[in-house]
Every structure is written in structure tokens, then in C-alpha cells.
Amino acid sequence: MEALATIPGTQIKDYNHLDHLRHEVANLLETNPTSFPGCQPVSFERKHISKLLQEDFYVCEKSDGIRCLLYITQSPHTRKEEVYLINRKNEYYLLNNINFPLSEEDQKLTNERFPVGTLIDGELVLSVPKSGSGPKELTYLVFDCIAFHRKLLAKRTFDKRLAYFRGKLYQPYIEALKRRAPNLPPPPFDIKFKNMEFSYGIPVIFQNMKKLRHISDGLIFTSREAPYVFKTDEMILKWKPPSQNTVDFLLSLEFPLVNQDGEEFLDYDAKPICHLKIWMGNERYQLVETMYLTDDEWEQLKSLNEPLDDRIVECYQDEKHRWRYMRFRDDKDNGNHFTIFSKVINSIEDCVTKEELFSACDSIKKHWKIRQKLADDRMRAEHERHRAEKAKWQREQERRHAQLHHSNDAVDPEKRKGEFMDSEQDPKKPKV
């Protein structure tokens, strides 16, 4: 399995600096400063097909990379722009040579040059160069915008959040890149916006996967109407082929005890029993499975010359339902929670194949169009109601104006003149 990307930039190690940044983001989002604020999808199960029929979802490819939030702020000391990547451990990495200017219109409105208090969600992946050869390049794939310029967008619908990113952030960034001096160092990664399709566009996504320059291992369905949730989100569905459904465990190695010349010791060269523990919350783990290793796989792991025990390991199930090693996940503090483990097991046992998704597309589209027509009909009815109310109001205004005009015309001008002269001569005299 290919290694994951490495997060660029300088990791913030100073506790006070890190604590300040975490609280800054927490205040922006109104969340817990000690935890990673990104949402977490749930594994796709058969029951979710009916959800795609009942509600509007977008679909995109699931990238195999490192989940990172990108945070734009300013230094409290210099007031200059600072851009950070935040990983699942809630660690912050300060990036160099990257800037996000506001549009000229927003600069005039706010008298600021860059969007302080902006948080976007994405995946950092390794991409094959356009030339097709050479070392892989870092790409940051954006799929959501949580806050923009101190404005929290989490409660807005998904399509509105995407529109904010495209128009307010991505377009000014691309235009600034075109004006960037060629002698300046390049940004630490390329930034791309993930292609989104309506949920019945699953075949289009699979077709586009063939053209991707990075690894993709599934699909992500995101509700069009649901807000952004800072925890496990039941309205974001992660589909993977059965062979690629994985679980992150804590690996615990048990080496054999050997007796040589009456002396007992652990044989660290021998293949150990690989215990897999699932996270129960807080600091608690529970033994649930073992990982199957061939002799060759054990030799390959030893050749890494790295500590293996007590690391987070990503595993998949083979055709014999054995858990197998895929890679270590040092980007995570904890393995999957036991609730996620249960959902993955359900997803594996009650798997929905690619072919079944394709078969459901026509029904998904039919239901989508029905909802769209109902929404359009409601909008037209509302428009007609407003137009009728406006016409009624205008008629009422015209009627009142006509009555007032008629009333004024009915009074003798000479009489009005006499009343006016009398009131001028005697201010206390009441008008008739």
C-alpha cells in the first residue's frame, strides 16, 4: 500500500502558541478547542440507498490521503496573514509561500486584504505530475467551507458553502497565482476543488476516477440540505468496495517466549501474535481481533526499522475474513471508535456493490426530479401569492388616493380660502 502524504510546513510545538490557535478556531466555530473540529462520515450500508432516494445528496470520489483543515488567520504580533494545516490530531502546521487574497470588491467593503477567520475542509494527497513522470506532488483537494472571513457557514446548506468557497476564496486565489512573480518559491501544494455531482451522477464520478492523478478508494455522499456537523455526521456517507473497507486499530504485539539453556527471553525476531484493539473512548482500548501476517509480510515490517508496537494500523478483511495489514496511520492519535468499527463490520457484511449503486441511479434521479418539480411548484405558488398580495396592496393604495382626491375636489375653493384667512386672523379659532 502506498504511503500517505507528509504534511508540509512547520509544526507548532510551543504550547502557548498552539493553545492560542486552538482556542481561536474553537471560538470561530463554537466548539471544543482540544478536539479536531472536522466532521466524520459513516460507512455506507444497504439502508442508505433509500436515503439517497428520499433526500438530495451530492457525490464525489473519496481520495486516499490525509484529512486536513486549512485555516487562514493573522499573526497577533505582526498582523500578517498566516495559513495553517490542521490534522486529525489537532496539530497545527504553519505554511510558507501561500496567500489567499480577498477579491477587490471584498477588500473595498472590509478594508482588509485577506480573509481572517477562514476554515476549509479537504484532503492532502500525492498526485502524479501532469507530465506522467517524476516525483509525486502534493495536492490539497477541497470539499467544504466551514467559515469564511469570520463568518460561520456551518449552518448553511452544502451547496451554499461550496458557492462561498468557489466565488469568495478559490477564484481570487487562482487569479493571484496567475499574477505571482515567477522568481518566487511555489506554494507548498496545488489546490483543487473536488468535482461534485448530483447523487445520480455516480457513473460520471467512476468515469472521472480513471483520469485522476491521485489514488481514489471510494465515494462520499454529502447531504445538500444538512449543516456541517463537528462530529460523526450521519448525513455524510462513505462508500468503499468491500475489499477496501478498512478499520484503524491499535496494534499490540505479543512475541513468543523462548527458553534457551534454562534462560527465558522474548524472541523479537520471531513473528508475533498481532493483537488488534478497538478504541472505547478516553484512554480505553479493548481487544477484538488479531491481524494475520505471512512470514514475508513480517519480514517486510521488520525491514522498516521502526517501532511497530502500540501504533495505529489500518487493516482490511481478505476473502477469508482475516484482518490484514494495509499501513500504519501515524496521522491519527486513536484508532476507530467501537461504534465506527461496528458500522464498518455492518458495511462489509451488508455490502452494496458498485453494480448495485449503478442500478439505483435511475430511481435516484427520478425521485430527485420529483422533489425538484415540487420545489419549483412551491416557489411558483409563493411567487404568485406575493404578486397577488402586491397587486392587492397597489389597488388599495389607488382606491385610497382616489377617495382622498375626490374628497378634496368636493370642497368649495372659495370656502377653503375663507377658512384659511379666518385662521390666519385668529389662530385660536378652530377650523370647521
Side-chain angles (χ1 to χ4, degrees):
M1 186 72 183
E2 184 173 315
L4 294 172
T6 300
I7 299 179
T10 304
Q11 184 179 351
I12 304 304
K13 298 282 191 178
D14 179 75
Y15 175 79
N16 291 331
H17 188 184
L18 181 61
D19 189 58
H20 169 78
L21 289 169
R22 286 173 173 172
H23 277 83
E24 198 173 86
V25 171
N27 290 336
L28 175 66
L29 305 181
E30 302 171 5
T31 58
N32 186 340
T34 62
S35 60
F36 177 72
C39 62
Q40 306 295 336
V42 298
S43 294
F44 196 96
E45 300 176 34
R46 189 165 298 277
K47 65 181 181 181
H48 291 131
I49 293 180
S50 61
K51 188 177 283 288
L52 297 182
L53 294 173
Q54 296 163 4
E55 301 180 43
D56 293 351
F57 279 78
Y58 283 97
V59 62
C60 67
E61 57 88 13
K62 181 191 173 298
S63 308
D64 186 29
I66 298 180
R67 172 79 176 284
C68 291
L69 302 180
L70 189 147
Y71 178 51
I72 305 169
T73 184
Q74 65 181 1
S75 167
H77 308 295
T78 65
R79 316 307 292 176
K80 291 183 177 180
E81 181 182 15
E82 291 184 340
V83 181
Y84 294 88
L85 282 182
I86 309 171
N87 65 9
R88 287 177 182 268
K89 296 180 179 181
N90 213 19
E91 297 169 337
Y92 285 65
Y93 292 77
L94 177 63
L95 303 175
N96 297 318
N97 308 316
I98 187 167
N99 303 98
F100 291 88
L102 284 169
S103 66
E104 291 184 6
E105 179 183 357
D106 283 339
Q107 288 188 37
K108 291 176 183 177
L109 288 173
T110 63
N111 200 30
E112 292 185 294
R113 293 182 296 107
F114 50 89
V116 177
T118 293
L119 191 68
I120 59 181
D121 203 347
E123 194 94 4
L124 192 65
V125 300
L126 287 170
S127 299
V128 175
K130 291 181 180 179
S131 63
S133 61
K136 292 195 172 184
E137 303 168 343
L138 282 176
T139 303
Y140 185 66
L141 301 172
V142 176
F143 51 76
D144 212 329
C145 184
I146 310 169
F148 174 77
H149 205 191
R150 305 184 186 91
K151 181 185 293 184
L152 183 60
L153 305 177
K155 294 182 180 179
R156 304 199 179 198
T157 59
F158 184 49
D159 46 3
K160 294 286 193 336
R161 302 197 302 269
L162 296 181
Y164 253 92
F165 172 75
R166 282 195 186 104
K168 296 284 191 179
L169 199 66
Y170 191 58
Q171 192 59 41
Y173 173 77
I174 294 300
E175 291 172 358
L177 274 186
K178 294 176 181 177
R179 301 190 300 266
R180 190 182 180 94
N183 60 327
L184 290 177
F189 43 71
D190 196 10
I191 296 181
K192 298 291 184 184
F193 180 73
K194 273 200 173 186
N195 178 44
M196 299 282 174
E197 297 284 343
F198 296 148
S199 52
Y200 54 81
I202 294 169
V204 177
I205 295 296
F206 273 105
Q207 188 64 31
N208 290 339
M209 281 184 187
K210 301 174 183 177
K211 308 171 189 175
L212 295 177
R213 296 189 291 120
H214 61 272
I215 296 175
S216 178
D217 59 355
L219 302 173
I220 295 289
F221 296 90
T222 305
S223 169
R224 185 167 77 162
E225 297 295 330
Y228 191 98
V229 177
F230 305 111
K231 56 182 179 180
T232 299
D233 189 350
E234 299 287 339
M235 300 305 287
I236 301 181
L237 313 174
K238 176 179 65 177
W239 177 88
K240 284 185 175 185
S243 61
Q244 295 187 33
N245 262 308
T246 61
V247 175
D248 299 329
F249 297 98
L250 179 67
L251 178 64
S252 181
L253 302 180
E254 181 184 343
F255 290 94
L257 185 67
V258 297
N259 190 312
Q260 186 174 346
D261 299 330
E263 226 178 287
E264 290 186 339
F265 60 91
L266 295 175
D267 186 355
Y268 290 106
D269 283 328
K271 186 171 66 175
I273 299 173
C274 300
H275 298 294
L276 298 176
K277 298 179 179 180
I278 204 70
W279 184 43
M280 305 300 292
N282 297 322
E283 301 298 322
R284 296 187 300 115
Y285 277 85
Q286 181 174 311
L287 179 64
V288 289
E289 298 282 353
T290 57
M291 183 175 73
Y292 176 79
L293 275 181
T294 65
D295 292 340
D296 287 343
E297 286 172 337
W298 171 239
E299 292 302 322
Q300 289 173 6
L301 286 178
K302 283 198 300 182
S303 68
L304 295 175
N305 292 319
E306 298 173 355
L308 305 176
D309 200 19
D310 286 332
R311 284 173 73 177
I312 304 300
V313 62
E314 184 176 359
C315 298
Y316 68 96
Q317 271 195 339
D318 63 16
E319 64 281 356
K320 296 182 179 180
H321 303 290
R322 299 175 299 190
W323 289 102
R324 307 293 296 272
Y325 169 82
M326 180 176 281
R327 62 189 167 195
F328 287 112
R329 294 302 301 262
D330 295 328
D331 58 312
K332 296 185 176 183
D333 265 340
N334 293 298
N336 290 137
H337 194 264
F338 77 93
T339 55
I340 301 299
F341 172 65
S342 298
K343 290 179 184 294
V344 173
I345 295 299
N346 289 339
S347 182
I348 292 173
E349 293 176 349
D350 190 29
C351 67
V352 176
T353 65
K354 174 182 172 180
E355 290 71 27
E356 288 176 300
L357 287 177
F358 273 52
S359 297
C361 285
D362 286 343
S363 293
I364 294 172
K365 183 175 182 179
K366 178 183 176 181
H367 284 76
W368 182 296
K369 295 299 183 182
I370 291 173
R371 287 191 299 273
Q372 188 177 54
K373 184 180 183 305
L374 291 173
D376 291 343
D377 289 346
R378 284 195 298 270
M379 188 176 295
R380 278 194 294 270
E382 187 71 10
H383 177 72
E384 289 298 324
R385 186 179 67 81
H386 280 298
R387 191 169 68 172
E389 288 178 352
K390 183 178 179 181
K392 181 180 178 182
W393 179 84
Q394 288 176 335
R395 289 194 300 271
E396 180 66 19
Q397 294 303 308
E398 291 170 358
R399 186 184 65 79
R400 290 181 179 181
H401 179 74
Q403 286 180 340
L404 181 63
H405 184 70
H406 178 74
S407 176
N408 288 339
D409 287 346
V411 179
D412 182 6
E414 290 298 324
K415 182 178 180 182
R416 288 206 309 268
K417 181 179 178 181
E419 290 173 354
F420 175 76
M421 293 178 64
D422 290 344
S423 65
E424 285 292 314
Q425 294 171 0
D426 186 2
K428 296 182 180 180
K429 183 178 180 179
K431 296 180 182 179
V432 179

